[in-house]
Amino acid sequence: MPELYPDRDPSLIVEFLSAIGSDQPALELGAGTGRVALPLSRQSRRVVCVEISSGLADQLEQAGGDLDVHVLRADMAAYNTEERFGLIYAVRSSFFHIGTQDRQVEALRRARAHLAPGGRLVLDCFVPDLQLLQRGGEVTLNDSSDDAADLRACSVDTVTQRITYREIQLSGLAAPRVLPVEQRYCWPAELDVMARLAGLELEDRYGDFMHAPFTNASRQHVSVYRPVTSVDRS
Ligand SMILES: C[S@@+](CC[C@H](N)C(=O)[O-])C[C@H]1O[C@@H](n2cnc3c(N)ncnc32)[C@H](O)[C@@H]1O
């Protein structure tokens, strides 16, 4: 099985994450083939990876070699380990792979329960594209060369907030490859309310991993949550 997103350089993500809870282990939700987890663990950090696909989990385990990387073959809304983490994170909108609002809240509760004191949850998610929601779907060309093309077809259901993607890789040399992906998107404000239900509160929100401000124009948000400390009795 090929590596996930081999062309997407994770160094800015790793730099951002390595500053959080760095004296404690980290947990990645939806780690894929370890694009982020492996370089993070190369910074002398233990990284535990939750990954639901056994094929990707096997690949990640092999690539981990001598690094302190441990793979949990589990659902990010249903894993359990005794270990506690200074950092729990999900990048590239992996959190949206959880298909319902209830299960997303459960994943946030689970993350809260696995945070060490002072730990933080970081979620990197896309901001829903209003025009795409209105159109109901689209086909886009991600990349192309003389003998290859990488297409993405998607359709949106605004009632369930679900997006169905088909990533279609065409190459003159190989059979077409179709990767099906389903996501349940939500707005940053909904995410904050779900996090509140799980005992987490927003600490910071950026527009990217370089700490750019989050603005009207941001297509992505990098949100940092901490355990709720104050009880509002008003
Ligand atoms: C967008 S990919 C991101 C992979 C990796 N984090 C990266 O940035 O390269 C999402 C990953 O989440 C995994 N995944 C999807 N649903 C999951 C679930 N419910 N629990 C755990 N992993 C899940 C997929 O198998 C996939 O590896």
Side-chain angles (χ1 to χ4, degrees), residues 24-27 40-41 44-48 68-70 83 85:
Q24 291 176 305
L27 175 74
L40 190 63
S41 78
S44 311
R45 188 167 195 179
R46 173 170 167 79
V47 183
V48 175
D68 193 0
V69 171
H70 176 69
E83 209 168 343
F85 302 91

Side-chain angles (χ1 to χ4, degrees), residues 4-5 28-33 35-36 50-53 56 74-77 91-94 97-98 103 183:
L4 277 184
Y5 317 119
E28 177 164 358
L29 305 175
T33 52
R35 183 178 66 101
V36 176
V50 177
E51 175 52 56
I52 204 164
S53 152
L56 296 179
D75 185 330
M76 59 182 125
V91 299
R92 225 182 140 68
S93 304
S94 297
H97 287 254
I98 305 168
R103 291 186 62 247
Q183 290 185 323

Side-chain angles (χ1 to χ4, degrees), residues 139-185:
V139 179
T140 50
L141 180 62
N142 281 348
D143 200 7
S144 68
S145 63
D146 283 352
D147 64 356
D150 184 0
L151 304 171
R152 172 181 274 200
C154 77
S155 60
V156 185
D157 180 338
T158 53
V159 176
T160 57
Q161 296 184 191
R162 289 177 76 92
I163 303 188
T164 304
Y165 295 100
R166 295 287 175 270
E167 291 194 10
I168 305 156
Q169 293 163 3
L170 303 170
S171 160
L173 305 172
R177 198 163 161 252
V178 180
L179 302 174
V181 178
E182 302 270 339
Q183 290 185 323
R184 185 213 176 244
Y185 65 86

Side-chain angles (χ1 to χ4, degrees), residues 77 98-109 184 194:
I98 305 168
T100 66
Q101 188 188 53
D102 282 349
R103 291 186 62 247
Q104 289 181 345
V105 172
E106 183 50 35
L108 293 166
R109 286 208 175 102
R184 185 213 176 244
M194 291 194 293

